[in-house]
């Protein structure tokens, strides 16, 4: 089979496109023919030697954790899926990865039935961002109707899904993004838009109940200024220092929680996300699709930032 392999952790230039042996499923695993694979910042971060703990196999190594595809075969102990079932999910995270390939293996708990309304390309961009947004809004934040919600990087992978969740819940949704994304976000249902290139969000909004921070750094610090007393900030990029969290609580009465999809993804949440697709609540946006052989270009585009929605690799495009 064809696959992308990382040969050195010194950047995406170390990615190669070559033939490798097809994996064999264990008794409790599926072998899936990958139709599309989601592209995430984790992929190019690992190429740069960052987060080495997420890669539990030696080089050369096949990146990728998100996929949508069709079951090719099942292990002797598998009863949940059958060959030719269409599935999507987030595979072996943290761990082996392996979705940037024509075939990969995974346990039944790592995938769910692909929503029939989505193409494989669309479904491949859903599991990681969808679970992250769901956890952040409904489990960490207990989002409810009528609350004021600020979503930073609202047009990004997690952001554009969070906007749809929050809008459907009946929240008052504020999104920050560049001006080119205003109409896109209006179409998703936001109530207020802040062009971060032209104004500072803390100058134009206040009294926010929940902030979803996909940027971190000084944006997290500034977000405390707009959260009302008793409010919550869920931050995604980095774990804030304990003294920072304590300071926000003591000085502003604002709680900060860090969410890590690497350790907190689960089958129930993935199913909740796909159920909302079928319920008409959620539609993932795919802004770029690349053949498997052009994985380096896709990862470099992701690393450049300012991607609307998600990027994917289309393995049917070779």
């Amino acid at each position: 089979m064809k696959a992308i392999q990382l040969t050195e952790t010194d950047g995406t230039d170390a990615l190669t496109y070559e033939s490798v042996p097809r994996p064999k499923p264990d008794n409790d695993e599926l072998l899936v023919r990958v139709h599309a694979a989601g592209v995430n910042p984790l992929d190019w971060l690992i190429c740069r030697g960052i987060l080495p703990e997420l890669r539990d196999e030696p080089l050369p190594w096949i990146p990728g954790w998100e996929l949508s595809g069709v079951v090719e075969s099942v292990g002797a102990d598998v009863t949940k899926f059958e060959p030719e079932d269409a599935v999507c999910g987030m595979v072996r995270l943290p761990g082996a990865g392996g979705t940037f390939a024509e075939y990969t293996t995974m346990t039944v708990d790592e995938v769910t039935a692909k929503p029939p309304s989505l193409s494989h390309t669309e479904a491949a961009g859903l599991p990681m961002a969808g679970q992250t947004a769901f956890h952040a809004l409904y489990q960490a934040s207990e989002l409810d109707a009528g609350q004021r919600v600020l979503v930073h990087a609202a047009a990004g992978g997690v952001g554009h899904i969070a906007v749809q969740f929050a809008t459907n819940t009946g929240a008052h949704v504020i999104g920050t993004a560049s001006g080119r994304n205003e109409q896109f976000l209006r179409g998703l249902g936001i109530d207020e838009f802040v062009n971060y290139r032209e104004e500072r969000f803390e100058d134009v909004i206040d009294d926010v109940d929940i902030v979803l921070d996909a940027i971190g750094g000084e944006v997290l610090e500034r977000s405390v200024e707009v959260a009302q007393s008793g409010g919550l900030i869920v931050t995604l990029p980095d774990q804030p220092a304990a003294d920072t969290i304590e300071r926000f609580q003591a000085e502003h009465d604002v709680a900060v929680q860090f969410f890590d999809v690497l350790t907190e993804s689960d089958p129930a949440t993935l199913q909740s996300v796909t159920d909302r697709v079928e319920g008409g609540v959620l539609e993932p946006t795919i802004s770029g699709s690349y053949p498997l052989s052009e994985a380096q270009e896709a990862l470099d585009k992701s690393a450049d930032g300012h991607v609307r929605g998600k990027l994917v690799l289309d393995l049917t495009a070779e």
Side-chain angles (χ1 to χ4, degrees):
M1 70 173 186
K2 291 295 188 181
I4 297 297
Q5 288 198 307
L6 180 66
T7 56
E8 299 289 344
T9 52
D10 56 1
T12 59
D13 289 343
L15 293 172
T16 62
Y17 175 66
E18 54 190 280
S19 295
V20 300
R22 183 187 297 188
K24 296 181 180 180
D26 291 336
N27 286 343
D28 63 343
E29 290 185 327
L30 311 171
L31 175 68
V32 172
R33 183 167 71 254
V34 181
H35 284 227
V39 174
N40 294 285
L42 290 178
D43 301 313
W44 52 263
L45 287 169
I46 288 175
C47 289
R48 296 178 180 181
I50 302 170
L51 303 175
E53 66 275 11
L54 299 188
R55 179 176 55 83
D56 66 356
E57 293 185 354
L59 298 175
W61 174 77
I62 300 174
W65 282 285
E66 281 183 307
L67 87 154
S68 182
V70 174
V71 176
E72 182 77 6
S73 64
V74 302
D77 297 336
V78 173
T79 58
K80 186 175 180 180
F81 295 104
E82 299 178 350
E84 298 307 315
D85 285 347
V87 296
C88 66
M90 194 167 70
V91 177
R92 302 173 187 267
L93 178 60
T99 65
F100 288 7
E102 291 180 317
Y103 294 87
T104 192
T105 59
M106 75 285 302
T107 66
V108 296
D109 287 341
E110 294 173 307
V111 293
T112 191
K114 180 185 77 67
S117 62
L118 297 184
S119 68
H120 283 291
T121 300
E122 293 168 326
L126 182 65
M128 186 177 293
Q131 288 191 81
T132 300
F134 188 91
H135 270 291
L137 292 179
Y138 295 118
Q139 295 174 339
S141 306
E142 299 181 352
L143 174 68
D144 202 355
Q147 291 184 307
R148 289 172 56 82
V149 179
L150 170 61
V151 180
H152 289 304
V158 174
H160 87 288
I161 291 177
V163 166
Q164 293 174 77
F165 283 158
T167 298
N168 178 259
T169 304
H172 180 95
V173 185
I174 308 160
T176 69
S178 62
R180 73 180 182 88
N181 287 310
E182 180 173 2
Q183 292 308 309
F184 168 67
L185 291 171
R186 296 284 186 191
L188 295 183
I190 65 167
D191 299 286
E192 296 182 56
F193 174 79
V194 179
N195 183 344
Y196 74 89
R197 291 179 172 172
E198 295 184 355
E199 54 191 353
R200 294 174 67 85
F201 63 85
E202 64 268 36
D203 293 338
V204 293
I205 58 175
D206 57 14
D207 294 332
V208 172
D209 296 289
I210 299 168
V211 179
L212 179 54
D213 167 33
I215 303 173
E218 55 97 16
V219 169
L220 172 59
E221 292 277 348
R222 291 162 54 202
S223 294
V224 177
E225 300 180 29
V226 303
Q228 66 176 343
S229 178
L232 172 68
I233 301 173
V234 181
T235 188
L236 306 176
D238 300 295
Q239 171 74 62
D243 59 350
T244 299
I245 295 175
E246 292 172 2
R247 174 168 55 85
F248 290 163
Q249 186 71 66
E251 296 180 2
H252 302 276
D253 190 26
V254 173
V256 175
Q257 290 190 27
F258 170 66
F259 172 72
D260 186 358
V261 72
L262 309 184
T263 60
E264 299 187 52
S265 63
D266 61 83
T269 302
L270 178 60
Q271 187 64 57
S272 294
V273 172
T274 56
D275 286 347
R276 279 161 173 75
V277 172
E278 289 308 284
V281 171
L282 172 62
E283 182 178 353
T285 292
I286 307 300
S287 63
S289 176
Y290 299 77
L292 180 63
S293 58
E294 297 178 11
Q296 180 185 346
E297 182 180 347
L299 267 63
D300 288 344
K301 175 67 174 177
S302 174
D304 287 342
H306 308 296
V307 173
R308 178 183 292 176
K310 290 292 295 286
L311 302 175
V312 300
L313 302 180
D314 181 359
L315 280 81
T316 68
E318 295 296 336

